[in-house]
Amino acid sequence: MSDDVLSVIPTDPYWQPERAAADRTAALVADLAPGLPDGVDVEIDVDWYDTPAVVDCGQNLMRIRCPRCAASIDTQWWGDLLEAHCEDGFGTLAIEVSCCGAATSLDALDYDWPCGFARFEIAVWNPERLWFSDEELTVLGDALGHPVRQIRAHI
């Protein structure tokens, strides 16, 4: 069986909220993704990480492009990178892309289906909705105390 995960992360991959703000925001997420009509609640995970962790889109990933020259970046390279850092996260997001040699950041790559990096994440498993609206993301960011973005994974 496959799962869908809708994650809310801060726009700054290094930022973390205070516990009260995280709890308040998780409660709002639960209100916005209440589960199935038959009363089955969704599972919501709230996680803090010591270093930025990848929040990727799983099987939704179509391609990755360089933010400087727009060349395609090998998805096998991406998969190997994730595997190498799956336990410890990323000490740095700085990279040099092989296509044009530009110095950039992993969170600046152009992912076709959004991917991100975060030290804080609220993940909704099988949310029974595709995305949060821009207005809902603004409300969640206000509650958290920092702007947020969303990542939808199919795993």
Side-chain angles (χ1 to χ4, degrees):
M1 183 176 160
S2 62
D3 288 304
D4 290 305
V5 183
L6 183 58
S7 294
V8 175
I9 61 173
T11 56
D12 177 345
Y14 295 95
W15 188 86
Q16 291 182 315
E18 298 293 328
R19 175 74 60 182
D23 292 343
R24 183 173 53 248
T25 307
L28 285 171
V29 167
D31 288 343
L32 295 172
L36 297 172
D38 62 4
V40 177
D41 290 336
V42 295
E43 179 182 337
I44 298 177
D45 294 330
V46 179
D47 294 303
W48 279 262
Y49 307 108
D50 292 332
T51 60
V54 67
V55 182
D56 73 319
C57 62
Q59 296 174 3
N60 290 331
L61 184 63
M62 302 302 288
R63 70 176 177 271
I64 306 168
R65 293 196 185 275
C66 173
R68 181 169 182 201
C69 72
S72 289
I73 294 175
D74 182 22
T75 55
Q76 182 62 45
W77 168 83
W78 172 250
D80 292 345
L81 184 70
L82 296 186
E83 187 174 319
H85 293 277
C86 68
E87 293 296 321
D88 299 328
F90 290 82
T92 181
L93 299 179
I95 59 165
E96 184 176 297
V97 288
S98 60
C99 49
C100 62
T104 187
S105 177
L106 287 168
D107 62 322
L109 297 177
D110 181 15
Y111 300 97
D112 186 349
W113 273 75
C115 294
F117 295 83
R119 291 186 57 221
F120 175 78
E121 174 185 13
I122 299 174
V124 184
W125 289 81
N126 301 306
E128 298 303 319
R129 66 177 298 163
L130 290 177
W131 301 101
F132 294 115
S133 70
D134 290 342
E135 295 80 17
E136 290 168 330
L137 289 174
T138 298
V139 169
L140 294 172
D142 290 347
L144 194 63
H146 190 86
V148 297
R149 57 188 295 237
Q150 61 190 326
I151 310 294
R152 185 172 180 86
H154 183 72
I155 51 177

